[in-house]
């Protein structure tokens, strides 16, 4: 590996050390319902986001809370020397994408059938240290 390529690789590795992510695939909740909860915690500090998710009554909040805890654990494993309190982690990005659909049929009047789409979603949470200090 050339010296310039090695320097670039080291710079990318340092930049990736700042953030950590966790993914939840094929969660059996519709993306629309999951986005309602995801919008509550986007851009919030991690401690506040955990409190929001813990006391929210929607079913999706329990799954997102578990996913956020996983992202925090991933950040801690990358940054073993840094403390969680000093880093002031924030939810940098949270993405809810549509997943696969189970298609079912429900009987309808006069011999017809209506299609039922049981939706699922994929959620990606990115957490990172807050670089700009606010006073």
């Amino acid at each position: 590996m050339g010296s310039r390529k090695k320097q670039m690789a080291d710079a990318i590795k340092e930049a990736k050390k700042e953030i950590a992510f966790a993914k939840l695939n094929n969660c059996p909740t519709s993306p629309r319902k999951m986005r309602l909860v995801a919008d509550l915690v986007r851009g919030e500090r991690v401690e506040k986001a955990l409190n929001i998710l813990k006391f929210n009554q929607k079913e999706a909040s329990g799954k997102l809370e578990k996913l956020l805890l996983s992202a925090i654990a991933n950040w801690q494993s990358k940054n073993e020397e840094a403390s969680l309190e000093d880093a002031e982690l924030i939810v940098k990005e949270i993405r809810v994408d549509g997943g696969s659909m189970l298609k079912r049929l429900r009987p309808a009047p006069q011999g017809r059938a209506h299609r039922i789409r049981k939706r699922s979603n994929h959620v990606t949470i990115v957490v990172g240290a807050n670089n700009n200090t606010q006073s």
Side-chain angles (χ1 to χ4, degrees), residues 101-107 113-118:
M101 251 186 277
L102 296 174
K103 293 179 179 166
R104 300 290 181 256
L105 293 177
R106 165 157 291 164
H114 292 188
R115 181 175 287 166
I116 293 181
R117 294 182 301 271
K118 297 189 175 209

Side-chain angles (χ1 to χ4, degrees), residues 50-117:
L50 283 173
N51 284 333
I52 290 170
L53 292 174
K54 185 174 185 176
F55 295 110
N56 195 337
Q57 302 218 343
K58 295 195 176 286
E59 181 189 351
S61 63
K63 295 173 183 175
L64 276 182
E65 181 185 9
K66 192 172 178 182
L67 187 64
L68 182 56
L69 287 172
S70 174
I72 294 168
N74 292 342
W75 187 87
Q76 282 180 322
S77 67
K78 275 185 173 181
N79 303 289
E80 292 175 355
E81 70 279 351
S83 72
L84 190 61
E85 291 79 22
D86 295 340
E88 291 186 5
L89 290 180
I90 60 169
V91 179
K92 286 197 170 198
E93 183 182 345
I94 181 164
R95 236 181 8 254
V96 180
D97 302 319
S100 59
M101 251 186 277
L102 296 174
K103 293 179 179 166
R104 300 290 181 256
L105 293 177
R106 165 157 291 164
Q110 298 179 351
R112 291 189 294 256
H114 292 188
R115 181 175 287 166
I116 293 181
R117 294 182 301 271

